[in-house]
Amino acid sequence: MPTIVYLVHGMGCGTADGKPAGEAWSAAPVDAVKWIAKTCKLATPMVLDPVPATPPAGSDDPKALWIVPVSYHSVFDDFRRTAIDRRAAVRRLGVAGLLDAQIDQLASTDFFWTKCLDVLLWWADTAQARPNATALILKAITQADQLAHDVPGATVSRILVSHSLGNAATTYALRHLGTAPEWGNVGSFALWTSLANVAPFLIQTPDVYAPPLLPGRSATLVKLMDTVHHEADPIPWLLPWNAWHPEHAGVEWKAAWMAQQAAGRVRIMETQKVKAPMQRTPSITDVHGFANYLMAPEVAIRLGAAMHGGAFTAAELATINMPGACSTLPELTCARTADALAQLKQATADFRTLLPPTDPALLSSGWFQRLLRAAELLLGASGQC
Amino acid sequence: MLSTVRWTATLLTGALLCATATLSGQSPTAAECVNGEAGLTSGASAAARSALTRVRWRDAYQDVTGIQAKAGTRAAFDSIVARSEVLLSATTRGEPTPLDSAVGVLLARLQVARRELAAHLANDSLRLKSSFDMSGLEMERDLQVAGRAHLGFDVNVDFDSVPDVASAICASAGAAHAYVRYLLKPQFTAIAKSYADASAHWEMFVHDGYSMTFLERMAASCRFGSLLWIVSPLRNCSNSPDRSLEPPRNQVVFAHPSAALAPLFTRDSLWREMVIVEWYGLMHHAYGATRMRTVGASVAWSYPSAGRSRPGVVVRTPWGSLGAFDRGAGKVYLAVSSDVLVHVPAIRNAARSLKVDALRRATSTIAEK
C-alpha cells in the first residue's frame, strides 16, 4: 500500500514549436491504466501529476493504486523553441551519414520534427538533454516513492511502464539509480513493462542488459520484465539484429537472460489490433501509441495482475474476461483503405528483414536513418487509412 | 422511531457479520499478502491470529518503531524475528508442512539479516550502511500462477497447500523488509533530494543561467571529434549512466551569443542594442537553493545594431555580464548584458524581451557581419 504505476512517455510528446500541447501526453495512457484497473476490479487509481507534498487520502488502503506520469519532454521542447533554423540545428547534431534529403525531411515535417527529433536529441546531446531528462525521471520516481513511504506502516510496490524512447531514458535512469545500493537492496520494481523498446539502438548492449536490470538475482532493480511490440509497429525493429531480446544480450548476459525468460520472469509479447480508451478514436499511427499498447489484452491482464499483487485465479479471470472487455473498446477503422493496417503489418514485416552489415563496426550505426524510414511507414499508413 | 433503530441495528449487525466473514471465511491470497494485507483462514488458531497482528507490518509498525525508540534498532529487529518465529510456530502447529523448506530458508535469512544489521549499525545508532542486502526477504509477485509468490527471487511460496503458513512466511519476510526500508529512509530521502536538486539546477542553468548554445552542447557531448577538443576541454566524453546528472559547474563557453546594451546618453538614444558573441571563455557556476551565480571571463566581439563590430572582453559577475569593447583611437565603450537589467524591476520584462529577441537575431546578425 500503495502500488505505484510509473508511466514514462516516449518520443513525440512535445509540440513542433516547443509550446505546451493542448492535452497532456499522459491523458490517454492514464485512461488506459484506469480502464485496466476497472476491468480487473481493482481500486480506482489516484493520479499524482505532479507528485503532491502529502499522500492523497486513502493511500493507507492496502489496495491503493497511484499513477505517476513521468515527463521529460521539456528538455526537447527547449530546443524546439529556440531552433530558428531547423536544418542548421540538425546538421550540428553530427549524425554520421545523414543525407541532405533526410535533414530536409526531419526539418520540414512536423511529424518528424516532434517525434524523431526527440530520439536524436536524447542520443546526441549527452551534455544537457540526456542528464536533464534522466534527472527529471529519477526525481519523479524517487519523489513518489518517498511520498508512499510517508504513509505509516506502508509497504510499497512499484511498477514501471515505459514507452518507445522512454525505454532508453528509463534504462539509462535505472542504471543511474542502481549506483545507489539502497535501491537494489531494499527498493526494486515488481514489474517493468517496456513497450516498443528502442533502448538497444541508443545505448550500448551491456548498459541495456547487465545487472542490476537482470531479473532473478540478488539486489536486482527489476523483478519481472515484459517487453512488448505491436505486429505492425516498425519502431522496435530499427536494427533488427539488435532489437531488445535475451538472445541479443551479449556473450556475458545472454544465458542469464534466457534462463530468466525460461523461468517466466522475462516475457516477450507481440500485440495486434489498434484500440483506444473509451471516448477516444484510434489512428493507425497508434500501432506505436502508448495507450494502444496498454490496452492489448495480454499486456492489460499482466499489468492488472501486477497491480493486483499476483496472477488472477481462473475464476477471477473468467469474471474479468479481458478479451471481451477489450472487444468493447473503440477500434481502428480505415475509411480510405480498409486493409491499411494489414498493409502496414506487411511493411513492418519487410522492415524487420534487414540483414546485419558484414562489417561489425557498423552494427550499431544507421538507426536514425531507419527511424526516419519507420516514421515514413507510419505517415504513409496514416495517409492510406 | 423504534423500528428505525431496529432496522439500523439489523443493518449494522449484518454489515459486521459480513465483514467478519470476509476476514475469516476466505483463504488468504498471495496477492493480498505481497500488498501488505496478509490474512489467515477461518481454521487458524487464536494464537496465530494474535501473532499475525504482531507481525504484519501495517499493524506492528507503531509497536516496532516504539521498541526502536526505547530499546534501539537491534532490539526492534530482534522483536520482528521473535514475533515471526511465534507466528510460524502457531501456523505450522509444530507439524511438518509442504512449506518446511521455505520456512527454513526464511528463518535462516532472518538470522543472516539480524547479523548483518548488527554489523552495519554503529553503536546501535540509526545509521545503516547501504550495502545491507534485503532482497532475499522481499516477496516477489508471480504473474503466471495464482496463489503463488516468491520469497526473494528463488523460493516458491504456494498459498494453496498450507495458506496460513504461506501467509506467515509472507508477513514475516514483509515485516523485516519493511522495517529495514524504514531504517533506510534517511538514505532514500538523500537520494531523492539529489535528483530533485539536479533537476532544479538544470532548470536554473537552462532558463536563468548561462545555459549552453547548441554548438556548445554538441561539443560537450563529444559529437565533433578530436578537432573540437578546444571547444570543450572540460567535457566528459563518457556515456556511462553513472556519470553525474548535475549541470556543469565549470564551463568553457565558445561562440556564445547574448543580448546587451551599450549606454550612449545622446540626444537620439540613451543606449544601443547589440549582440555580444563570447568566442572563448571560462565560467564557474555555483548553484544555490533558488538561484545560480556565475563568475568568469571571455574574449568577445560586439555586434551593435548600428556601427561596426568590435573586439573586447566580457567579465561575468553574479548579477550579469559587463563588456569592454575597442572603439578605435584608444577608446573603449562599455556594454551590459540584458541579465543586468532583469535586476531592475521597472524594466525587467523589457529586458527579458530584449534578451529573447536579440538571441533570435544573433545567428543572422553574425552571418550578415
Side-chain angles (χ1 to χ4, degrees), chain A residues 62 79 84 123-127 136 145-146 149-150 176 181-182 185-186 188 218-219 223 265 306 308-309 311, chain B residues 34-35 37 130 133-135 138 140-142 153 177 181 185 189 195 199 214 217 221 223 239 241 243 360:
Chain A
F79 173 80
I84 301 158
W123 171 79
D125 185 2
T126 56
L136 282 168
D145 181 70
Q146 282 294 97
H149 281 94
D150 284 346
H176 200 280
E182 291 87 349
N185 294 338
V186 191
S188 62
S218 176
K223 300 285 186 190
R265 286 197 176 86
H308 169 59
Chain B
V34 298
N35 284 334
E37 186 70 354
S130 54
D133 184 4
M134 287 293 287
S135 52
E138 194 166 4
E140 184 183 310
R141 289 157 161 72
D142 191 317
F153 44 87
H177 189 272
R181 174 59 180 79
K185 192 169 184 185
T189 304
Y195 292 129
S199 192
F214 197 63
R217 283 160 71 170
S221 300
R223 290 288 161 202
N239 274 339
R243 60 184 280 196
R360 280 188 181 280

CSV table of all heavy atoms in Angstrom, one decimal, chain A residues 62 79 84 123-127 136 145-146 149-150 176 181-182 185-186 188 218-219 223 265 306 308-309 311, chain B residues 34-35 37 130 133-135 138 140-142 153 177 181 185 189 195 199 214 217 221 223 239 241 243 360:
chain,number,residue,atom,x,y,z
A,62,PRO,N,-4.6,-0.9,1.7
A,62,PRO,CA,-3.6,-1.9,1.0
A,62,PRO,C,-3.9,-2.0,-0.5
A,62,PRO,O,-3.0,-2.4,-1.2
A,62,PRO,CB,-3.9,-3.2,1.7
A,62,PRO,CG,-4.5,-2.8,3.0
A,62,PRO,CD,-5.3,-1.5,2.8
A,79,PHE,N,14.8,22.9,-26.9
A,79,PHE,CA,15.5,23.0,-28.2
A,79,PHE,C,14.6,23.5,-29.3
A,79,PHE,O,15.0,24.3,-30.1
A,79,PHE,CB,16.1,21.6,-28.5
A,79,PHE,CG,16.7,21.6,-29.8
A,79,PHE,CD1,18.0,22.1,-30.0
A,79,PHE,CD2,16.1,21.0,-30.9
A,79,PHE,CE1,18.6,22.0,-31.3
A,79,PHE,CE2,16.6,21.0,-32.2
A,79,PHE,CZ,17.9,21.5,-32.4
A,84,ILE,N,15.8,28.3,-34.6
A,84,ILE,CA,15.3,29.1,-35.6
A,84,ILE,C,15.4,28.5,-37.0
A,84,ILE,O,14.5,28.4,-37.8
A,84,ILE,CB,16.0,30.5,-35.6
A,84,ILE,CG1,15.8,31.1,-34.2
A,84,ILE,CG2,15.4,31.4,-36.7
A,84,ILE,CD1,16.9,32.2,-33.9
A,123,TRP,N,19.8,11.0,-27.8
A,123,TRP,CA,21.1,10.2,-28.1
A,123,TRP,C,22.3,11.1,-28.3
A,123,TRP,O,23.3,10.8,-27.7
A,123,TRP,CB,20.8,9.4,-29.5
A,123,TRP,CG,22.0,8.8,-30.0
A,123,TRP,CD1,22.6,7.6,-29.6
A,123,TRP,CD2,22.8,9.2,-31.1
A,123,TRP,NE1,23.7,7.3,-30.3
A,123,TRP,CE2,23.9,8.3,-31.3
A,123,TRP,CE3,22.8,10.4,-31.9
A,123,TRP,CZ2,24.9,8.5,-32.2
A,123,TRP,CZ3,23.8,10.5,-32.9
A,123,TRP,CH2,24.8,9.6,-33.0
A,124,ALA,N,22.1,12.2,-29.0
A,124,ALA,CA,23.3,13.1,-29.3
A,124,ALA,C,23.7,14.0,-28.2
A,124,ALA,O,24.9,14.2,-28.0
A,124,ALA,CB,23.0,13.9,-30.6
A,125,ASP,N,22.7,14.6,-27.5
A,125,ASP,CA,23.1,15.6,-26.5
A,125,ASP,C,23.3,15.0,-25.1
A,125,ASP,O,22.4,15.1,-24.3
A,125,ASP,CB,21.9,16.6,-26.5
A,125,ASP,CG,22.3,17.8,-25.6
A,125,ASP,OD1,23.4,17.8,-25.0
A,125,ASP,OD2,21.4,18.7,-25.4
A,126,THR,N,24.4,14.4,-25.0
A,126,THR,CA,24.7,13.8,-23.7
A,126,THR,C,25.2,14.8,-22.6
A,126,THR,O,25.4,14.5,-21.5
A,126,THR,CB,25.7,12.6,-23.8
A,126,THR,OG1,26.9,13.2,-24.4
A,126,THR,CG2,25.2,11.5,-24.6
A,127,ALA,N,25.4,16.0,-23.1
A,127,ALA,CA,25.9,17.1,-22.2
A,127,ALA,C,24.7,17.7,-21.4
A,127,ALA,O,24.8,18.1,-20.3
A,127,ALA,CB,26.7,18.1,-22.9
A,136,LEU,N,15.1,14.4,-14.4
A,136,LEU,CA,13.6,14.6,-14.2
A,136,LEU,C,12.9,13.2,-14.0
A,136,LEU,O,12.0,13.2,-13.1
A,136,LEU,CB,13.1,15.2,-15.5
A,136,LEU,CG,13.3,16.7,-15.7
A,136,LEU,CD1,13.0,17.1,-17.1
A,136,LEU,CD2,12.5,17.5,-14.7
A,145,ASP,N,8.1,7.6,-4.5
A,145,ASP,CA,8.4,6.6,-3.6
A,145,ASP,C,8.5,7.1,-2.2
A,145,ASP,O,8.0,6.5,-1.2
A,145,ASP,CB,9.7,5.9,-4.1
A,145,ASP,CG,10.1,4.8,-3.2
A,145,ASP,OD1,9.4,3.7,-3.2
A,145,ASP,OD2,11.1,4.9,-2.4
A,146,GLN,N,9.2,8.2,-2.0
A,146,GLN,CA,9.3,8.8,-0.7
A,146,GLN,C,7.9,9.1,-0.1
A,146,GLN,O,7.7,8.9,1.0
A,146,GLN,CB,10.1,10.1,-0.8
A,146,GLN,CG,11.6,9.9,-0.9
A,146,GLN,CD,12.2,9.3,0.3
A,146,GLN,OE1,12.4,8.1,0.4
A,146,GLN,NE2,12.4,10.1,1.3
A,149,HIS,N,6.2,6.2,1.2
A,149,HIS,CA,6.7,5.8,2.5
A,149,HIS,C,6.4,6.7,3.6
A,149,HIS,O,6.8,6.5,4.8
A,149,HIS,CB,8.3,5.5,2.4
A,149,HIS,CG,8.6,4.2,1.7
A,149,HIS,ND1,8.8,4.1,0.4
A,149,HIS,CD2,8.7,3.0,2.2
A,149,HIS,CE1,9.0,2.8,0.1
A,149,HIS,NE2,8.9,2.1,1.2
A,150,ASP,N,5.8,7.8,3.3
A,150,ASP,CA,5.3,8.7,4.4
A,150,ASP,C,4.0,8.2,5.0
A,150,ASP,O,3.6,8.7,6.0
A,150,ASP,CB,5.0,10.1,3.8
A,150,ASP,CG,6.3,10.9,3.6
A,150,ASP,OD1,7.4,10.5,4.1
A,150,ASP,OD2,6.3,11.9,2.9
A,176,HIS,N,21.5,4.5,-13.5
A,176,HIS,CA,22.0,5.5,-12.5
A,176,HIS,C,21.4,5.3,-11.1
A,176,HIS,O,22.1,5.3,-10.2
A,176,HIS,CB,21.6,6.9,-13.0
A,176,HIS,CG,22.4,8.0,-12.4
A,176,HIS,ND1,22.2,8.5,-11.1
A,176,HIS,CD2,23.5,8.7,-12.9
A,176,HIS,CE1,23.1,9.4,-10.9
A,176,HIS,NE2,23.9,9.5,-11.9
A,181,PRO,N,23.2,1.8,-3.8
A,181,PRO,CA,22.9,0.4,-3.4
A,181,PRO,C,21.6,0.2,-2.7
A,181,PRO,O,21.0,-0.9,-2.7
A,181,PRO,CB,24.1,0.0,-2.6
A,181,PRO,CG,24.9,1.2,-2.3
A,181,PRO,CD,24.4,2.3,-3.3
A,182,GLU,N,21.1,1.3,-2.0
A,182,GLU,CA,19.8,1.2,-1.3
A,182,GLU,C,18.7,0.7,-2.2
A,182,GLU,O,17.9,-0.1,-1.8
A,182,GLU,CB,19.4,2.5,-0.7
A,182,GLU,CG,20.3,3.1,0.4
A,182,GLU,CD,21.5,3.8,-0.1
A,182,GLU,OE1,21.8,3.8,-1.4
A,182,GLU,OE2,22.2,4.5,0.7
A,185,ASN,N,19.1,-3.0,-3.0
A,185,ASN,CA,19.0,-3.9,-1.8
A,185,ASN,C,17.6,-3.9,-1.1
A,185,ASN,O,17.2,-4.9,-0.5
A,185,ASN,CB,20.0,-3.4,-0.7
A,185,ASN,CG,21.5,-3.7,-1.2
A,185,ASN,OD1,21.7,-4.5,-2.1
A,185,ASN,ND2,22.4,-2.9,-0.7
A,186,VAL,N,17.0,-2.7,-1.2
A,186,VAL,CA,15.7,-2.6,-0.5
A,186,VAL,C,14.6,-2.1,-1.4
A,186,VAL,O,13.4,-2.4,-1.1
A,186,VAL,CB,15.8,-1.7,0.8
A,186,VAL,CG1,14.5,-1.8,1.6
A,186,VAL,CG2,17.0,-2.1,1.6
A,188,SER,N,12.9,-1.9,-5.3
A,188,SER,CA,13.0,-2.5,-6.7
A,188,SER,C,11.6,-2.4,-7.3
A,188,SER,O,10.7,-2.0,-6.7
A,188,SER,CB,13.4,-4.0,-6.6
A,188,SER,OG,12.4,-4.7,-5.9
A,218,SER,N,20.0,-11.5,-6.8
A,218,SER,CA,20.1,-10.7,-5.6
A,218,SER,C,20.3,-9.2,-6.0
A,218,SER,O,21.0,-8.9,-6.9
A,218,SER,CB,21.2,-11.2,-4.7
A,218,SER,OG,21.4,-10.4,-3.6
A,219,ALA,N,19.7,-8.3,-5.2
A,219,ALA,CA,19.9,-6.8,-5.4
A,219,ALA,C,19.6,-6.3,-6.8
A,219,ALA,O,20.1,-5.3,-7.3
A,219,ALA,CB,21.3,-6.5,-5.1
A,223,LYS,N,12.3,-7.0,-10.9
A,223,LYS,CA,11.9,-8.4,-10.5
A,223,LYS,C,11.4,-9.1,-11.7
A,223,LYS,O,11.7,-10.3,-11.9
A,223,LYS,CB,10.8,-8.3,-9.4
A,223,LYS,CG,11.2,-7.6,-8.2
A,223,LYS,CD,12.2,-8.5,-7.4
A,223,LYS,CE,12.5,-7.9,-6.0
A,223,LYS,NZ,13.6,-8.5,-5.4
A,265,ARG,N,10.2,-15.0,-15.7
A,265,ARG,CA,10.4,-13.6,-15.2
A,265,ARG,C,10.6,-12.6,-16.3
A,265,ARG,O,10.4,-11.4,-16.1
A,265,ARG,CB,11.6,-13.6,-14.3
A,265,ARG,CG,11.4,-14.2,-13.0
A,265,ARG,CD,12.5,-13.8,-12.0
A,265,ARG,NE,12.2,-14.4,-10.7
A,265,ARG,CZ,12.6,-15.6,-10.3
A,265,ARG,NH1,13.3,-16.3,-11.1
A,265,ARG,NH2,12.3,-16.0,-9.1
A,306,ALA,N,-0.2,-7.5,-12.0
A,306,ALA,CA,0.9,-6.9,-11.2
A,306,ALA,C,0.3,-5.8,-10.2
A,306,ALA,O,0.7,-5.8,-9.1
A,306,ALA,CB,1.9,-6.2,-12.1
A,308,HIS,N,-2.6,-6.0,-9.0
A,308,HIS,CA,-3.4,-6.8,-8.1
A,308,HIS,C,-2.5,-7.4,-7.0
A,308,HIS,O,-3.0,-7.5,-5.8
A,308,HIS,CB,-4.1,-7.9,-8.9
A,308,HIS,CG,-4.8,-8.9,-8.1
A,308,HIS,ND1,-5.8,-8.7,-7.2
A,308,HIS,CD2,-4.6,-10.3,-8.1
A,308,HIS,CE1,-6.2,-9.9,-6.7
A,308,HIS,NE2,-5.5,-10.8,-7.2
A,309,GLY,N,-1.3,-7.7,-7.4
A,309,GLY,CA,-0.4,-8.3,-6.4
A,309,GLY,C,0.0,-9.7,-6.8
A,309,GLY,O,0.9,-10.3,-6.2
A,311,ALA,N,-0.9,-13.2,-9.9
A,311,ALA,CA,-1.8,-13.7,-11.0
A,311,ALA,C,-3.2,-13.9,-10.5
A,311,ALA,O,-3.5,-14.2,-9.3
A,311,ALA,CB,-1.3,-15.0,-11.5
B,34,VAL,N,1.4,-9.9,-0.6
B,34,VAL,CA,2.5,-9.1,-1.1
B,34,VAL,C,2.1,-7.6,-1.1
B,34,VAL,O,3.0,-6.7,-1.1
B,34,VAL,CB,2.9,-9.4,-2.6
B,34,VAL,CG1,3.5,-10.8,-2.6
B,34,VAL,CG2,1.8,-9.2,-3.6
B,35,ASN,N,0.8,-7.3,-1.0
B,35,ASN,CA,0.4,-5.9,-0.8
B,35,ASN,C,0.3,-5.5,0.6
B,35,ASN,O,-0.2,-4.4,1.0
B,35,ASN,CB,-1.0,-5.7,-1.5
B,35,ASN,CG,-0.9,-5.7,-3.0
B,35,ASN,OD1,0.1,-5.3,-3.5
B,35,ASN,ND2,-2.0,-6.1,-3.7
B,37,GLU,N,-1.2,-7.2,3.2
B,37,GLU,CA,-2.5,-7.5,3.8
B,37,GLU,C,-2.7,-9.0,4.1
B,37,GLU,O,-3.7,-9.6,3.7
B,37,GLU,CB,-3.6,-7.0,2.8
B,37,GLU,CG,-5.1,-7.0,3.4
B,37,GLU,CD,-5.3,-6.0,4.5
B,37,GLU,OE1,-4.4,-5.3,4.9
B,37,GLU,OE2,-6.5,-6.0,4.9
B,130,SER,N,24.4,1.2,3.3
B,130,SER,CA,23.5,0.8,2.2
B,130,SER,C,23.8,-0.5,1.6
B,130,SER,O,23.1,-1.0,0.8
B,130,SER,CB,23.6,1.9,1.1
B,130,SER,OG,24.9,2.1,0.7
B,133,ASP,N,21.9,-6.0,2.2
B,133,ASP,CA,21.1,-6.5,1.1
B,133,ASP,C,19.9,-7.3,1.7
B,133,ASP,O,20.0,-8.3,2.4
B,133,ASP,CB,21.9,-7.5,0.2
B,133,ASP,CG,21.1,-8.0,-0.9
B,133,ASP,OD1,19.9,-7.6,-1.1
B,133,ASP,OD2,21.7,-8.8,-1.7
B,134,MET,N,18.7,-6.8,1.4
B,134,MET,CA,17.5,-7.4,1.9
B,134,MET,C,16.7,-8.0,0.8
B,134,MET,O,15.5,-8.4,1.0
B,134,MET,CB,16.6,-6.3,2.6
B,134,MET,CG,17.1,-5.9,4.0
B,134,MET,SD,17.1,-7.2,5.2
B,134,MET,CE,15.3,-7.3,5.5
B,135,SER,N,17.3,-8.1,-0.4
B,135,SER,CA,16.4,-8.6,-1.5
B,135,SER,C,16.0,-10.1,-1.3
B,135,SER,O,15.0,-10.5,-1.8
B,135,SER,CB,17.2,-8.5,-2.8
B,135,SER,OG,18.5,-9.1,-2.7
B,138,GLU,N,12.5,-10.1,0.3
B,138,GLU,CA,11.4,-9.4,-0.4
B,138,GLU,C,10.4,-10.4,-1.1
B,138,GLU,O,10.9,-11.4,-1.6
B,138,GLU,CB,12.0,-8.5,-1.5
B,138,GLU,CG,11.0,-7.4,-2.0
B,138,GLU,CD,11.7,-6.3,-2.9
B,138,GLU,OE1,12.9,-6.4,-3.1
B,138,GLU,OE2,11.0,-5.4,-3.3
B,140,GLU,N,8.2,-11.5,-3.9
B,140,GLU,CA,8.0,-11.2,-5.3
B,140,GLU,C,6.7,-11.8,-5.9
B,140,GLU,O,6.3,-12.9,-5.6
B,140,GLU,CB,9.2,-11.9,-6.1
B,140,GLU,CG,9.3,-11.6,-7.5
B,140,GLU,CD,10.5,-12.3,-8.2
B,140,GLU,OE1,11.6,-12.3,-7.6
B,140,GLU,OE2,10.3,-13.0,-9.2
B,141,ARG,N,6.1,-11.0,-6.7
B,141,ARG,CA,4.8,-11.4,-7.3
B,141,ARG,C,5.1,-12.6,-8.3
B,141,ARG,O,6.1,-12.6,-9.0
B,141,ARG,CB,4.2,-10.3,-8.2
B,141,ARG,CG,3.7,-9.1,-7.4
B,141,ARG,CD,3.7,-7.9,-8.2
B,141,ARG,NE,2.8,-6.9,-7.7
B,141,ARG,CZ,3.0,-6.2,-6.6
B,141,ARG,NH1,4.1,-6.3,-5.9
B,141,ARG,NH2,2.1,-5.3,-6.2
B,142,ASP,N,4.1,-13.4,-8.5
B,142,ASP,CA,4.1,-14.4,-9.5
B,142,ASP,C,2.9,-14.0,-10.4
B,142,ASP,O,1.8,-14.1,-10.0
B,142,ASP,CB,4.0,-15.8,-9.0
B,142,ASP,CG,4.2,-16.9,-10.1
B,142,ASP,OD1,3.7,-16.7,-11.2
B,142,ASP,OD2,4.9,-17.8,-9.8
B,153,PHE,N,14.1,-14.2,-4.7
B,153,PHE,CA,14.0,-14.4,-6.2
B,153,PHE,C,14.1,-15.9,-6.4
B,153,PHE,O,14.1,-16.4,-7.6
B,153,PHE,CB,15.1,-13.7,-6.9
B,153,PHE,CG,16.5,-13.9,-6.2
B,153,PHE,CD1,17.3,-15.0,-6.4
B,153,PHE,CD2,16.9,-13.0,-5.2
B,153,PHE,CE1,18.4,-15.2,-5.8
B,153,PHE,CE2,18.1,-13.2,-4.6
B,153,PHE,CZ,18.8,-14.3,-4.8
B,177,HIS,N,11.6,-6.8,5.9
B,177,HIS,CA,12.0,-5.9,4.7
B,177,HIS,C,11.5,-4.5,4.9
B,177,HIS,O,12.2,-3.6,4.7
B,177,HIS,CB,11.4,-6.5,3.4
B,177,HIS,CG,11.9,-5.9,2.2
B,177,HIS,ND1,11.3,-4.8,1.6
B,177,HIS,CD2,12.9,-6.2,1.4
B,177,HIS,CE1,11.9,-4.4,0.6
B,177,HIS,NE2,12.9,-5.3,0.4
B,181,ARG,N,13.6,-1.0,5.2
B,181,ARG,CA,13.3,0.2,4.4
B,181,ARG,C,13.0,1.4,5.2
B,181,ARG,O,13.4,2.5,4.9
B,181,ARG,CB,12.1,-0.2,3.4
B,181,ARG,CG,11.6,1.0,2.6
B,181,ARG,CD,12.7,1.5,1.7
B,181,ARG,NE,12.3,2.6,0.8
B,181,ARG,CZ,12.2,3.9,1.2
B,181,ARG,NH1,12.4,4.2,2.5
B,181,ARG,NH2,11.8,4.8,0.4
B,185,LYS,N,15.3,5.1,5.5
B,185,LYS,CA,14.5,6.3,5.0
B,185,LYS,C,15.5,7.5,4.8
B,185,LYS,O,15.4,8.2,3.8
B,185,LYS,CB,13.3,6.7,5.8
B,185,LYS,CG,12.4,7.7,5.2
B,185,LYS,CD,11.1,7.8,5.9
B,185,LYS,CE,10.2,8.8,5.1
B,185,LYS,NZ,9.0,9.1,5.7
B,189,THR,N,15.8,9.4,1.3
B,189,THR,CA,15.5,10.8,1.2
B,189,THR,C,16.6,11.6,0.6
B,189,THR,O,16.4,12.5,-0.3
B,189,THR,CB,15.2,11.4,2.6
B,189,THR,OG1,14.2,10.6,3.2
B,189,THR,CG2,14.8,12.8,2.6
B,195,TYR,N,18.4,13.9,-6.7
B,195,TYR,CA,17.8,14.0,-8.1
B,195,TYR,C,16.9,15.3,-8.2
B,195,TYR,O,16.9,16.0,-9.2
B,195,TYR,CB,16.9,12.8,-8.3
B,195,TYR,CG,17.8,11.6,-8.5
B,195,TYR,CD1,17.5,10.4,-7.8
B,195,TYR,CD2,18.8,11.5,-9.4
B,195,TYR,CE1,18.2,9.2,-8.0
B,195,TYR,CE2,19.6,10.4,-9.5
B,195,TYR,CZ,19.3,9.3,-8.8
B,195,TYR,OH,20.1,8.1,-9.0
B,199,SER,N,17.7,18.3,-10.8
B,199,SER,CA,16.7,18.8,-11.7
B,199,SER,C,16.5,20.3,-11.6
B,199,SER,O,16.3,21.0,-12.6
B,199,SER,CB,15.4,18.0,-11.4
B,199,SER,OG,14.4,18.2,-12.4
B,214,PHE,N,23.6,25.4,-28.7
B,214,PHE,CA,23.5,24.1,-29.3
B,214,PHE,C,24.9,23.6,-29.7
B,214,PHE,O,25.3,22.4,-29.5
B,214,PHE,CB,22.6,24.0,-30.4
B,214,PHE,CG,22.2,22.7,-30.8
B,214,PHE,CD1,21.5,21.9,-29.8
B,214,PHE,CD2,22.5,22.1,-32.0
B,214,PHE,CE1,21.1,20.6,-30.1
B,214,PHE,CE2,22.2,20.8,-32.3
B,214,PHE,CZ,21.5,20.0,-31.3
B,217,ARG,N,26.6,22.5,-26.6
B,217,ARG,CA,26.1,21.2,-26.2
B,217,ARG,C,26.6,20.0,-27.0
B,217,ARG,O,27.0,19.0,-26.4
B,217,ARG,CB,24.5,21.2,-26.3
B,217,ARG,CG,23.9,22.0,-25.2
B,217,ARG,CD,22.5,22.4,-25.6
B,217,ARG,NE,21.6,21.3,-25.6
B,217,ARG,CZ,20.2,21.4,-25.7
B,217,ARG,NH1,19.7,22.6,-25.8
B,217,ARG,NH2,19.4,20.4,-25.7
B,221,SER,N,29.1,17.1,-25.8
B,221,SER,CA,28.6,15.8,-25.9
B,221,SER,C,29.6,14.9,-26.8
B,221,SER,O,29.3,13.8,-27.1
B,221,SER,CB,27.2,15.7,-26.6
B,221,SER,OG,26.3,16.4,-25.8
B,223,ARG,N,30.5,15.2,-29.9
B,223,ARG,CA,29.9,14.9,-31.2
B,223,ARG,C,30.8,15.4,-32.3
B,223,ARG,O,30.5,15.2,-33.5
B,223,ARG,CB,28.5,15.5,-31.4
B,223,ARG,CG,27.5,14.8,-30.5
B,223,ARG,CD,27.2,13.4,-31.0
B,223,ARG,NE,26.6,12.6,-29.9
B,223,ARG,CZ,26.5,11.3,-29.9
B,223,ARG,NH1,27.1,10.6,-30.8
B,223,ARG,NH2,26.0,10.7,-28.9
B,239,ASN,N,29.8,8.0,-21.8
B,239,ASN,CA,28.3,7.9,-21.9
B,239,ASN,C,27.8,7.0,-20.8
B,239,ASN,O,26.7,6.6,-20.8
B,239,ASN,CB,27.9,7.3,-23.2
B,239,ASN,CG,27.8,8.4,-24.3
B,239,ASN,OD1,27.6,9.6,-23.9
B,239,ASN,ND2,27.9,8.1,-25.5
B,241,PRO,N,26.1,5.6,-17.7
B,241,PRO,CA,24.9,6.1,-17.0
B,241,PRO,C,25.2,6.5,-15.5
B,241,PRO,O,24.4,7.2,-14.9
B,241,PRO,CB,23.9,4.9,-17.0
B,241,PRO,CG,24.4,4.1,-18.1
B,241,PRO,CD,25.8,4.2,-18.2
B,243,ARG,N,27.5,8.6,-14.7
B,243,ARG,CA,28.2,9.9,-14.6
B,243,ARG,C,27.2,10.9,-13.9
B,243,ARG,O,26.0,10.6,-13.8
B,243,ARG,CB,28.6,10.4,-15.9
B,243,ARG,CG,27.4,10.6,-16.9
B,243,ARG,CD,27.9,11.0,-18.3
B,243,ARG,NE,28.1,12.4,-18.3
B,243,ARG,CZ,28.2,13.1,-19.4
B,243,ARG,NH1,28.2,12.5,-20.6
B,243,ARG,NH2,28.5,14.4,-19.4
B,360,ARG,N,17.4,35.6,-30.8
B,360,ARG,CA,16.8,35.1,-32.0
B,360,ARG,C,17.5,35.7,-33.3
B,360,ARG,O,17.6,35.0,-34.3
B,360,ARG,CB,15.3,35.4,-32.1
B,360,ARG,CG,14.5,34.5,-31.2
B,360,ARG,CD,13.0,34.8,-31.4
B,360,ARG,NE,12.2,33.9,-30.6
B,360,ARG,CZ,11.9,32.6,-30.9
B,360,ARG,NH1,12.4,32.1,-32.0
B,360,ARG,NH2,11.2,31.9,-30.1
